[in-house]
Amino acid sequence: MKTNSFNIQNLVRDNVRKLKPYSSARDEFKDFDKDMIFLDANENPFNNGVNRYPDPRQLNLKAVLAKQKGVGIDNILLGNGSDEVLDLIYRTFCEPKIDNILTLPPTYGMYKVLAETNDIENREVLLNKDFQPDPEKILSSADDYSKLLFICSPNNPTGNAFYPELIEELIKSFNGIVVIDEAYIDFSSQKSWLSRLNEFPNLIVIQTLSKAYGMAGIRLGICYASSEIISILNKIKPPYNVNSLTQQKALERVLNTKEIDKEIETILKERDNLMENLEKISFVSEIYPTDANFVLIRVDDATKRYNQLIEKGIVIRNRTTQPLCENTLRFTVGTPKENAKLIKILKEI
Ligand SMILES: *Cc1c(COP(=O)(O)O)cnc(C)c1O
């Protein structure tokens, strides 16, 4: 159990705790931009829409997100995709060659890649057969150098959300930071952990515009945490990590909640329809429950079926080499037309 002596500063790497962040001169003048002449950043002065550096704090976008999600602006950090956010978290808390992280395969591949690029030991604790985490096993794999625990819920590639009781037990008992990756939360019947951010000083929640929000191309990842954690991450964030076009596009999109909700509704309806149809395919032996916009299934021979679909012009994901995922395939839910074509081809092969 976390005691009152829990102190986030003790988890931060020495060099990060000590460093003084880069500051751009523009920061101080944001609020009286009326008649200011900016000759501070060596930009080309001729306006073409993007000749100026972007707002390093992305305040307009954060203000909307804060309001929608019921958190403070100082509880948000934005990144060039979740991938950048995740990398910042590693570099803030994990001392290369000394600290370690815990991941729960089968899960999102980037956690492992980032551990390798940052030279951090990755302790893998497999999920159970039903793709749920086993807190006892996980906690017994941790030691004093275990800084981060990655929980992907709903989980990629299995699709299921983890039981909230198990997640809560892990947040309360793990002596490092628990990162909950909610890339697929908008497709889930379960609640986001954002509403409980205030309860847990060691909780980071990550979301993205890449999935339900339909903006994978602009690269925007969102990190929610205590203002203390956010201010530490901000110290090592590249100042202009989210470009102007991304900030603009993201702002337009997050304000258009009606359109997003409509698309999610369609995707969920299509997902149900796809699962119903998959049940009728002879070589499909198992369809796993999903809280995401994709479905994991088990088949007779994943590689053979994968190649047959490629031949017909449909690209899916073969997950057979992942632990616990032998002979599984992952299908993203497409448009109604795409899904109909997929089903037709599956019936033919
Ligand atoms: C797709 C996905 C992301 C999104 O990453 P971005 O860099 O924001 O596009 C994050 N986590 C998981 C588990 C995902 O599947």
Side-chain angles (χ1 to χ4, degrees):
M1 268 303 203
K2 239 175 301 308
T3 62
N4 289 333
S5 68
F6 179 81
N7 182 351
I8 213 84
Q9 293 295 340
N10 294 337
L11 295 172
V12 178
R13 288 169 68 192
D14 278 344
N15 64 316
V16 174
R17 199 179 322 115
K18 288 176 194 152
L19 76 79
K20 195 171 168 295
Y22 176 85
S23 86
S24 81
R26 192 86 37 97
D27 282 3
E28 304 156 38
F29 305 109
K30 174 132 202 323
D31 297 331
F32 47 106
D33 58 350
K34 247 194 255 128
D35 292 318
M36 306 297 278
I37 296 178
F38 289 113
L39 305 176
D40 58 318
N42 302 344
E43 297 144 331
N44 177 326
F46 299 107
N47 183 23
N48 61 14
V50 290
N51 59 313
R52 297 292 177 185
Y53 278 101
D55 174 8
R57 294 181 294 177
Q58 309 104 15
L59 285 176
N60 294 337
L61 179 52
K62 277 185 193 165
V64 175
L65 289 171
K67 188 157 174 249
Q68 289 182 346
K69 303 288 179 173
V71 301
I73 287 180
D74 58 355
N75 295 121
I76 306 177
L77 174 133
L78 302 179
N80 185 14
S82 314
D83 292 347
E84 184 187 39
V85 170
L86 291 166
D87 189 51
L88 285 174
I89 295 171
Y90 279 79
R91 291 194 287 127
T92 295
F93 295 106
C94 298
E95 197 62 42
K97 292 188 163 65
I98 295 175
D99 292 329
N100 64 73
I101 61 153
L102 300 175
T103 60
L104 315 176
T107 193
Y108 186 46
M110 275 311 284
Y111 312 140
K112 184 179 192 167
V113 171
L114 287 168
E116 283 167 1
T117 56
N118 285 294
D119 207 1
I120 311 295
E121 182 195 347
N122 174 24
R123 297 193 175 174
E124 300 190 314
V125 185
L126 286 195
L127 296 173
N128 291 335
K129 286 262 173 346
D130 57 353
F131 299 139
Q132 290 290 330
D134 178 341
E136 207 174 309
K137 237 172 45 182
I138 295 164
L139 294 167
S140 70
S141 303
D143 61 19
D144 290 348
Y145 298 94
S146 302
K147 294 293 182 68
L148 306 171
L149 164 61
F150 287 92
I151 294 178
C152 188
S153 180
N155 187 39
N156 178 7
T158 60
N160 62 304
F162 297 161
Y163 298 128
E165 314 84 75
L166 298 180
I167 296 181
E168 183 160 348
E169 185 182 346
L170 285 166
I171 302 171
K172 286 179 169 163
S173 309
F174 181 62
N175 281 319
I177 306 259
V178 175
V179 181
I180 305 184
D181 186 341
E182 294 190 334
Y184 300 98
I185 194 66
D186 300 293
F187 301 108
S188 177
S189 49
Q190 288 203 10
K191 261 179 61 182
S192 164
W193 285 85
L194 266 189
S195 58
R196 302 190 62 188
L197 210 53
N198 288 333
E199 288 176 54
F200 307 112
N202 63 328
L203 176 61
I204 293 180
V205 175
I206 292 182
Q207 296 183 358
T208 177
L209 294 204
S210 295
K211 306 290 156 59
Y213 282 72
M215 305 229 104
I218 69 169
R219 311 304 300 128
L220 192 90
I222 312 166
C223 173
Y224 299 97
S226 71
S227 53
E228 203 181 359
I229 293 180
I230 295 296
S231 67
I232 301 164
L233 292 172
N234 261 322
K235 288 184 21 165
I236 66 163
K237 176 185 90 63
Y240 305 113
N241 63 328
V242 180
N243 71 68
S244 323
L245 300 177
T246 294
Q247 293 189 40
Q248 229 167 47
K249 276 277 185 194
L251 187 59
E252 284 166 28
R253 182 66 169 168
V254 296
L255 288 170
N256 195 352
T257 48
K258 242 191 182 154
E259 184 75 18
I260 298 166
D261 290 346
K262 211 176 78 195
E263 288 176 12
I264 292 173
E265 197 186 325
T266 305
I267 290 168
L268 291 180
K269 231 172 58 203
E270 282 296 306
R271 181 182 77 187
D272 290 346
N273 183 45
L274 175 63
M275 290 173 85
E276 257 171 52
N277 277 283
L278 284 167
E279 269 171 41
K280 299 176 204 151
I281 308 295
S282 62
F283 57 80
V284 176
S285 58
E286 196 151 11
I287 302 164
Y288 292 97
T290 177
D291 263 60
N293 65 332
F294 57 83
V295 188
L296 188 77
I297 64 169
R298 186 161 262 129
V299 297
D300 53 351
D301 183 341
T303 303
K304 174 177 155 191
R305 301 307 176 183
Y306 174 81
N307 287 328
Q308 285 177 320
L309 282 171
I310 295 271
E311 254 166 60
K312 302 277 185 186
I314 295 184
V315 184
I316 57 161
R317 199 87 158 111
N318 183 358
R319 297 284 72 186
T320 191
T321 58
Q322 297 288 299
L324 308 176
C325 291
E326 197 185 338
N327 281 320
T328 61
L329 299 171
R330 192 192 70 192
F331 297 77
T332 308
V333 179
T335 63
K337 213 169 141 191
E338 289 169 338
N339 302 328
K341 180 128 190 250
L342 168 69
I343 291 160
K344 180 170 169 280
I345 288 170
L346 282 172
K347 283 177 177 162
E348 285 165 13
I349 64 180

